[in-house]
Amino acid sequence: MRILVTGGAGFLGSHLCDRLINDGNDVICLDNLFTGRKENIAHLLGHPRFEFVRHDVVDPFKFEVDQIFNLACPASPPHYQYNPIKTTKTSVIGAINCLGLAKRVKARVFQASTSEVYGDPEMHPQREEYWGHVNPIGLRSCYDEGKRCAETLFFDYNRENKVDIRVIRIFNTYGPRMLANDGRVVSNFIVQALKGEDITIYGDGKQTRSFCFVDDLIEGFVRFMNQTEIIGPMNCGNPGEFTMLQLAELTLKLVGGRSKIVFKPLPSDDPKQRQPDISLARRVIKWEPQIPLEEGLKRTIAYFSKQVG
Ligand code: NAD
Ligand code: UDP
């Protein structure tokens, strides 16, 4: 197949491009390199079935493709809050551009949605039926509401124009190729521990997240995209739930060194708990994560040791 991956030079996008190329597809990677890097796809640049296009999803684009994976959007809070209006435009206009293209060329189109659509959830663990508890006017809203509006557009294009959609809700995912200065918790803790700097816990560290290793997630993407039973939304993530204190202690144990844990103010609207209910993924795509946190952290630490070292 010919496949377009928007955001293909980012953390998840570059792993997806690797997987799609390995499966024998032709891949077009479209990215404006805001948080993505050419290094992430450098090994693919000479490949006869791979093309890189530097382009912004907010501006229309046209490619003859069979599938579109829409991943373009900064994902870490400091990056998506850097230019919040642009973040909403990327999610909303980017979705419209992908859906318009999918409609024209009759491609199947995949939306990388997020557990953030559940906001600071009042239902635990989060099931796909839950409508969420989201602040529409806070600092995280550009991302949360942008992604919610993108979901709305996907379902309206499906109902109105019969566009063949797949909407997946990704929970916190980590692994090699995250940016060292990305600002997300796993990369922050690992880089701080490797440099012997203080480990910065925001708030009291009792808030929870559920962390999925990138290889598990990409397997879920491909299985979900290539089945015809459901269009989503479908949760994809690792149900293992940890407090930020536990994550800091585990990271320190694995990296070693002399870092101390310090406490910083909690950012506004920071969700208190998050854990995916993955019964739907288990049933439909027979998927569940295989890589436990400790193993995934070891692989990620090995990556950052080379970057930071
Ligand atoms: P990332 O920041 O590494 O990747 C995003 C990519 O999109 C980058 O390469 C960036 O340059 C590109 N991009 C941003 N704005 C663009 C624009 N206007 N036009 C073209 N390209 C643009 O983040 P990631 O973790 O790889 O996330 C990929 C997708 O998955 C995002 O849509 C994100 O919202 C979603 N997601 C990720 C997670 C996670 O834990 N990693 C969780 C939920 C959802
Ligand atoms: N966090 C932290 N220290 C850091 C970075 C993040 O304690 O250096 C916390 C953050 O407040 C949140 C959790 O870790 O409660 C996950 O943050 P991240 O930005 O990775 O993802 P998100 O909040 O979008 O789930």
Side-chain angles (χ1 to χ4, degrees), residues 168-289:
I168 200 160
R169 292 184 179 151
I170 305 164
F171 285 64
N172 298 61
T173 300
Y174 68 98
R177 299 190 196 155
M178 293 181 95
L179 289 172
N181 66 352
D182 183 86
R184 283 181 273 190
V185 69
V186 174
S187 43
N188 269 12
F189 285 2
I190 292 177
V191 171
Q192 289 163 344
L194 285 169
K195 288 184 170 169
E197 293 171 357
D198 291 344
I199 306 273
T200 55
I201 289 190
Y202 303 159
D204 60 9
K206 291 193 182 128
Q207 71 272 37
T208 67
R209 294 292 186 274
S210 303
F211 298 102
C212 185
F213 188 68
V214 58
D215 293 4
D216 279 332
L217 189 84
I218 298 299
E219 178 64 30
F221 278 16
V222 172
R223 288 194 197 186
F224 178 58
M225 185 63 157
N226 294 305
Q227 57 76 41
T228 50
E229 193 179 331
I230 56 166
I231 60 174
M234 188 191 81
N235 289 339
C236 209
N238 192 323
E241 188 183 2
F242 297 86
T243 66
M244 295 313 102
L245 262 173
Q246 288 173 316
L247 180 70
E249 279 158 8
L250 182 56
T251 307
L252 272 175
K253 184 187 101 178
L254 296 175
V255 176
R258 55 195 161 76
S259 295
K260 294 192 307 299
I261 291 180
V262 297
F263 294 87
K264 301 256 173 177
L266 189 68
S268 69
D269 295 335
D270 200 275
K272 284 182 268 313
Q273 53 179 9
R274 195 182 283 151
Q275 184 193 31
D277 179 319
I278 59 164
S279 333
L280 186 64
R282 280 201 176 101
R283 180 172 64 75
V284 177
I285 61 170
K286 311 279 178 282
W287 176 88
E288 64 184 343

Side-chain angles (χ1 to χ4, degrees), residues 10-12 31-32 34-36 56-57 71 90 143 147 173 184:
F11 161 49
L12 296 180
D31 202 298
N32 71 351
F34 175 50
T35 50
D56 196 307
V57 281
L71 273 65
T90 296
Y143 183 77
K147 289 283 187 180
T173 300
R184 283 181 273 190

Side-chain angles (χ1 to χ4, degrees), residues 114-134:
T114 167
S115 53
E116 297 286 338
V117 302
Y118 302 123
D120 191 7
E122 294 155 313
M123 176 194 258
H124 195 76
Q126 292 80 55
R127 294 171 56 87
E128 290 84 354
E129 292 74 25
Y130 178 48
W131 289 355
H133 179 228
V134 178

